[in-house]
Amino acid sequence: MSEKGAAGGGLRERKKRATRAALAEAAVRLAAEHGAEKVTVEAISAAAGVSVRTFFNYFDTRDDAFVVIDADAGARIRRAVLDAPAALSPLEALHGAMAAELAETEQQHELWRLHAQVLRASPHLLVRSLGAHMADETALAEVIAARIRSGGRPVSESAPGSESAPGSESAPGSESAPGSDEERREALDLYPRLLAAVASTAVRTSVEHWCARQEEAAFLDVFREVFALLAAGLPAPHA
């Protein structure tokens, strides 16, 4: 597996993820301060404390560093969904996988805010980011479908979407899930497509609500409440 797609849990892979995260954070912070168009690969590499050669071990182009803050997060969520206990419903499995991944969101919310600011200021980066998220959502829907087909039993590592890296150019149309991203979405049943889309919206809504009311509750409590409302069928609140 290339460094761009690595999402394993060993020491070497954790170091790779840390380096990639440092580069992405440096790119976002520099872009927020100076504008993405003025930020060079040399500046990003220097801010992250690595060489330009190392930068290109993780990103094919300079713009790739701005697109997604953590390109391996989706792969970890998908693996956790596939590995979740069989007794859990797809919604419960997805909730648990996402909650574990979002555990440090409160510490990262400033970076998320800066990232959104950078994307809004650079329409071409925003388009690329939306494309990466759509590819990630399709891959998530594919593993939900695989979990449903298996009845919750463990699914092999070659399950469609289980290892494709969100944000990478190879995610749509990987060997495990051939075809364009649009073709892959069309091949999915309604339920996994809807659940993946709802989960993506749940994350965005939770982050936006918590950022506006940080003094009222911890982020994970907000996230749990969102999924509790989904599980209950979104009952209307009392007046």
Side-chain angles (χ1 to χ4, degrees):
M1 183 182 297
S2 70
E3 289 184 350
K4 295 183 183 67
L11 177 60
R12 182 167 174 267
E13 303 304 338
R14 290 198 298 273
K15 287 182 177 179
K16 287 181 181 180
R17 290 202 298 272
T19 300
R20 197 186 202 289
L23 284 164
E25 179 172 352
V28 167
R29 292 190 181 280
L30 287 169
E33 183 177 356
H34 304 290
E37 70 283 353
K38 296 181 180 179
V39 177
T40 64
V41 170
E42 289 77 10
I44 296 170
S45 302
V50 301
S51 67
V52 170
R53 180 178 179 180
T54 297
F55 176 94
F56 285 110
N57 285 337
Y58 293 87
F59 302 101
D60 292 329
T61 70
R62 186 207 62 155
D63 283 359
D64 290 340
F66 302 117
V67 174
V68 178
I69 294 177
D70 186 351
D72 294 330
R76 294 193 295 271
I77 289 172
R78 295 192 292 273
R79 188 70 261 168
V81 168
L82 294 176
D83 291 342
L88 297 182
S89 69
L91 180 64
E92 291 170 333
L94 188 52
H95 175 209
M98 285 186 156
E101 192 61 41
L102 294 168
E104 297 182 1
T105 294
E106 291 187 42
Q107 289 73 42
Q108 296 179 325
H109 79 277
E110 181 205 6
L111 183 60
W112 284 27
R113 179 182 59 79
L114 291 177
H115 185 235
Q117 175 184 319
V118 169
L119 295 180
R120 285 195 300 270
S122 303
H124 74 288
L125 294 178
L126 178 59
V127 170
R128 291 194 59 181
S129 180
L130 290 173
H133 283 295
M134 288 182 68
D136 190 53
E137 187 178 294
T138 298
L140 180 58
E142 288 174 334
V143 299
I144 292 170
R147 179 181 173 87
I148 292 171
R149 288 194 300 271
S150 73
R153 295 185 300 276
V155 181
S156 70
E157 300 247 349
S158 61
S162 62
E163 297 300 331
S164 56
S168 71
E169 297 300 327
S170 61
S174 64
E175 289 184 1
S176 62
S180 69
D181 191 44
E182 183 177 354
E183 290 170 338
R184 289 165 58 213
R185 283 197 300 272
E186 290 175 352
L188 287 162
D189 290 335
L190 176 61
Y191 181 88
R193 290 179 64 179
L194 178 61
L195 181 53
V198 167
S200 297
T201 301
V203 172
R204 176 177 56 79
T205 302
S206 298
V207 171
E208 291 175 353
H209 183 82
W210 176 77
C211 284
R213 307 184 183 190
Q214 295 180 35
E215 70 285 354
E216 296 181 9
F219 171 76
L220 283 182
D221 290 336
V222 174
F223 186 70
R224 292 188 187 99
E225 182 179 357
V226 167
F227 266 81
L229 288 170
L230 291 174
L234 287 179
H238 299 294

